[in-house]
Amino acid sequence: MIEATNEFVNLTAENIDSEHLCCIIRTKKQHPGVEAKRQWLKERLPQGHVFRKLNAKATVFIEYAPLEKAWVPIVGDNYIYIYCLWVLGDAKGKGYGKALMEYCIEDAKANGKSGVCMLGSAKQKSWLSDQSFAKKFGFKQVECTANGYELLALSFDSTLPHFADQAKQMRIDDDQLCIYYDCQCPYVYQVLPNIQAYCEANAVEYKLIQIESLSQAKALPCVFNNFAVFYKGRFETVNLLDNKALERILKK
């Protein structure tokens, strides 16, 4: 593993309880989503999961893992999978995103990996890292789904990852609103209560399906980063939903 510099810090078993998680910046008051993610990370760090962030109170971080251990229905030998690369607010334009991506790529090379991959889309979607930024580093589309999601990869040895076969089906045998999620994203804890309240107030049948293991994640019937929505059996989005987005889906 490449050593962290003073400008950035990697979460470890020793510092994870004291370091803030910059997905959501909060005061000292505990946030249920942040604490759930902290626990999720504690279980993943021994498996090679990396959460690297600016050593400051800011939303600047990259999160990645060995593809074999990544909670996504993507298959490949000896790859790294990037879940998130975020630089927000005043931190933009200072080269932090470039530094984080370069760190990930060099980390992969130092550990003898075959490449790095990530989820993208033909048209940039919310809650996905900027694929146009990734393509500046040589990431290329290696597979796509019928509804425009892409698997982007930077290969070091010409081998390529791919979506698991069932992930390309994008359908389930259930007409209800079905939402798959895990505890990796702390924002999930903010949107789920709103979705529940909306559905109950409007007599909408729904299912919230928590993904609690690697095997469950690898077997999902759709692309997934930590959230996926189905309605009338069709896959709709990996975006977290506010009420307006939920209404648009339910009107289809």
Side-chain angles (χ1 to χ4, degrees):
M1 181 66 66
I2 299 173
E3 294 297 323
T5 66
N6 290 333
E7 190 172 20
F8 294 94
V9 60
N10 289 14
L11 295 186
T12 66
E14 292 71 32
N15 68 14
I16 191 170
D17 286 322
S18 58
E19 289 286 344
H20 77 276
L21 300 186
C22 48
C23 309
I24 297 180
I25 300 298
R26 286 290 182 269
T27 61
K28 293 181 179 180
K29 183 178 179 181
Q30 286 190 334
H31 183 282
V34 170
E35 296 313 309
K37 180 180 179 70
R38 197 184 305 277
Q39 184 57 45
W40 191 89
L41 283 171
K42 286 181 179 180
E43 297 171 8
R44 307 282 86 73
L45 290 178
Q47 301 173 356
H49 192 105
V50 173
F51 189 104
R52 180 172 174 82
K53 67 190 186 72
L54 189 68
N55 195 11
K57 197 170 184 180
T59 305
V60 179
F61 71 97
I62 190 171
E63 187 171 358
Y64 60 89
L67 181 57
E68 295 85 351
K69 297 294 185 180
W71 283 31
V72 290
I74 297 171
V75 179
D77 293 328
N78 205 33
Y79 260 74
I80 289 292
Y81 178 78
I82 299 176
Y83 289 103
C84 300
L85 173 55
W86 275 23
V87 178
L88 299 182
D90 294 340
K92 286 185 175 182
K94 297 181 180 179
Y96 293 139
K98 179 175 183 289
L100 289 169
M101 181 65 87
E102 288 176 345
Y103 178 91
C104 175
I105 293 170
E106 290 306 312
D107 192 17
K109 290 179 177 178
N111 282 282
K113 297 297 183 181
S114 294
V116 182
C117 61
M118 60 186 285
L119 182 64
S121 62
K123 182 179 180 181
Q124 179 66 44
K125 298 181 184 295
S126 302
W127 304 99
L128 290 181
S129 299
D130 185 346
Q131 60 258 27
S132 64
F133 175 76
K135 288 176 180 177
K136 293 178 182 178
F137 291 85
F139 284 77
K140 296 180 180 179
Q141 177 197 315
V142 297
E143 194 170 16
C144 64
T145 66
N147 56 351
Y149 284 91
E150 299 178 343
L151 178 58
L152 304 177
L154 173 63
S155 178
F156 306 147
D157 61 8
S158 299
T159 63
L160 296 173
H162 60 91
F163 290 123
D165 288 341
Q166 84 286 341
K168 293 181 281 189
Q169 295 174 8
M170 298 293 200
R171 293 197 65 86
I172 59 174
D173 294 326
D174 196 324
D175 284 342
Q176 295 182 67
L177 176 71
C178 294
I179 297 176
Y180 296 88
Y181 72 96
D182 65 29
C183 293
Q184 184 187 9
C185 178
Y187 285 97
V188 167
Y189 273 72
Q190 295 185 184
V191 301
L192 289 183
N194 292 339
I195 292 170
Q196 289 176 293
Y198 180 94
C199 290
E200 290 168 8
N202 292 277
V204 175
E205 293 185 346
Y206 69 98
K207 290 181 180 177
L208 302 178
I209 305 165
Q210 184 174 355
I211 303 304
E212 300 180 286
S213 70
L214 175 64
S215 59
Q216 280 183 296
K218 290 296 187 187
L220 282 165
C222 62
V223 295
F224 182 79
N225 217 33
N226 46 53
F227 196 81
V229 180
F230 282 84
Y231 184 55
K232 294 182 179 179
R234 298 190 305 268
F235 172 81
E236 294 290 343
T237 185
V238 298
N239 292 1
L240 298 181
L241 302 176
D242 57 20
N243 284 353
K244 288 185 178 180
L246 181 55
E247 287 173 356
R248 286 195 296 270
I249 290 172
L250 295 174
K251 288 179 181 177
K252 291 184 177 180

